């Protein structure tokens, strides 16, 4: 069942919907975007509080909207559903006739389904995001209330800028969500990581000795904002995915100074280019891992045009160790992509990506075990599945274990494992931001087989039966519970 008012026209429309549902709190007093907003947001998130609209930030010329995705309820509202599983179920139903084989086949299948079942972006000639235009010397990023989130951050960052690039040779578009450090009134540091598609676009442009055009949209409608964070393969267009989620086409408009398109209803758009070979130190930055990422050289965006709506709203996010606002985004990805993972690995019954593992350090997976070392087969399949390849720890449990019940998972992982036999150690790629790996970009991984062991796996003692109360007694106690006076 779609949320009232869905799909939302733009960010302001979504904020109005949140306010109607009592999910938005306006802060009318001046608040400093340097550290103070971050502390207010962090306390609000950890109290399961509402989305916030800071109406009078002491830097910049527009209000700040934040914590929009901080709960599963608001994330579901953003995507127009009562439960995040509804979207995954839609994808699962659409994929059933396709029966794709292997990962490439699965992704090809979902691409075909989206092409058939949704509509591509719709180009418009005029757009609200270009109601106000600044060019050349009039560009001033200080109009934006960018945040310094943590005391050790290297400066002001724009944390929810949707970055648009095109492959210089194929013209294939990519939409990504990367942090942007403000170096000056018209330059930004582009922190796109080694595994990201925009990094590949930039590498091709540099090989060809060309500038890479870039457009950044800030304050998009919530479906487009989510789509920018979704772990889609390079051959699936994020705006096609957003159209599938919205149930209607996303309106796009040509940029004024670069050969790219952006969402017509974005609040703010920055247009510019990267010079081949140019780098500047970027960071430090307090990231979602809970630690500062170090200073590294990253490309520099020269902003040549800045366009916006009249009376725009600036959208940002605070990053910290969990719990934080990105929990809603990570949980949406987990639920939406569950059927795709099951198509790739049919052995999987369900999976959970714990927020404490920042959604890529740990995966808990239940399987319908059928043969010896089945759990190890699933572990290796997960480590070969697109961005799931970055998972550091995989815990495999039997299908009767609820992967979302961490106490039950811990009971299985602590009690069902002989760590001399049931622990699989390997090496492979890890997240760019992983500070624990001895080498950047790759490190050790572990898989824990917490399933019941079979005689054919060498377990000859006879697996014990777990204790459960008889249904008759449980039913009797249910009926008499009030009599006990407990």
């Amino acid at each position: 069942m779609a949320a009232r008012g869905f799909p939302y026209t733009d960010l302001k429309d979504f904020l109005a919907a949140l306010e109607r549902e009592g999910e938005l709190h306006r802060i009318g007093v001046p608040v400093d975007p340097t550290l103070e907003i971050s502390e207010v947001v962090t306390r609000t998130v950890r109290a399961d509080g509402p989305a916030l609209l800071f109406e009078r930030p002491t830097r910049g010329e527009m209000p700040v909207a934040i914590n929009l995705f901080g709960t599963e309820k608001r994330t579901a509202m953003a995507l127009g559903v009562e439960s995040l599983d509804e979207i995954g179920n839609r994808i699962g139903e659409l994929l059933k006739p396709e029966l794709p084989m292997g990962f490439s086949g699965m992704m090809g299948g979902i691409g075909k389904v989206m092409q058939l079942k949704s509509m591509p972006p719709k180009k418009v000639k005029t757009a609200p995001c270009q109601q106000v235009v600044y060019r050349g010397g009039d560009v001033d990023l200080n109009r934006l209330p960018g945040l310094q989130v943590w005391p050790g951050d290297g400066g002001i960052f724009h944390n929810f800028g949707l970055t648009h690039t095109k492959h210089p040779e194929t013209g294939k578009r990519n939409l990504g969500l990367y942090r942007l450090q403000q170096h000056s009134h018209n330059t930004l540091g582009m922190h796109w990581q080694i595994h990201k598609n925009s990094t590949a676009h930039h590498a091709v442009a540099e090989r060809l000795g060309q500038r890479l055009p870039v457009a950044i949209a800030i304050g998009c409608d919530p479906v487009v904002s989510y789509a920018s964070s979704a772990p889609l393969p390079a051959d699936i267009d994020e705006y096609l995915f957003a159209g599938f989620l919205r149930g209607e086409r996303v309106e796009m408009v040509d940029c004024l100074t670069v050969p790219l398109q952006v969402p017509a209803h974005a609040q703010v758009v920055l247009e510019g280019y990267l010079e081949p070979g140019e780098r500047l130190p970027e960071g430090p930055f307090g990231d979602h891992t809970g630690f500062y990422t170090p200073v590294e050289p990253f490309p520099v965006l020269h902003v040549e045009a800045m366009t916006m709506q009249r009376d725009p709203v600036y959208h940002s996010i605070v990053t910290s160790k969990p719990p934080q606002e990105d929990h809603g985004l990570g949980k949406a990805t987990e639920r939406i992509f569950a059927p795709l993972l099951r198509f790739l690995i049919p052995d999987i019954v369900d999976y959970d990506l714990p927020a404490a593992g920042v959604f890529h350090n740990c995966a808990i997976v239940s399987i319908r075990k059928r043969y010896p070392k089945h759990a190890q087969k699933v572990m290796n399949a997960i480590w070969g599945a697109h961005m799931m390849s970055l998972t550091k720890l995989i815990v495999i449990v039997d299908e009767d274990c609820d992967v979302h019940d961490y106490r039950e998972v811990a009971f299985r992982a602590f009690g069902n494992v002989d760590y001399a036999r049931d622990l699989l150690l390997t090496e492979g790629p890890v997240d760019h931001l992983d500070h624990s790996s001895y080498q950047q970009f790759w490190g050790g991984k572990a898989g824990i087989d917490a399933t019941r062991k079979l005689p054919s796996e060498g377990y000859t003692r006879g697996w014990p039966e777990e204790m459960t109360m008889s249904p008759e007694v449980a039913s009797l106690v249910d009926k008499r519970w009030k009599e006990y006076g407990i």
Side-chain angles (χ1 to χ4, degrees), residues 424-440:
L424 176 63
L425 298 177
T426 187
E427 292 180 331
V430 297
D431 189 81
H432 189 130
L433 304 179
D434 191 297
H435 62 278
S436 66
S437 59
Y438 283 57
Q439 301 291 328
Q440 192 175 29

Side-chain angles (χ1 to χ4, degrees), residues 401 405-417 450 466-467:
C401 179
D405 182 345
Y406 297 153
R407 289 200 304 177
E408 178 65 18
V409 171
F411 173 73
R412 308 286 182 109
F414 298 160
N416 283 5
V417 179
E466 186 177 341
M467 301 172 300

Side-chain angles (χ1 to χ4, degrees), residues 160 175-177 196 224-232 238 329-330 333:
F160 223 111
L175 171 65
L177 181 60
K196 305 300 184 181
V224 169
S225 293
Y226 167 71
S228 71
S229 74
L232 296 171
E238 287 82 4
L329 295 170
T333 292

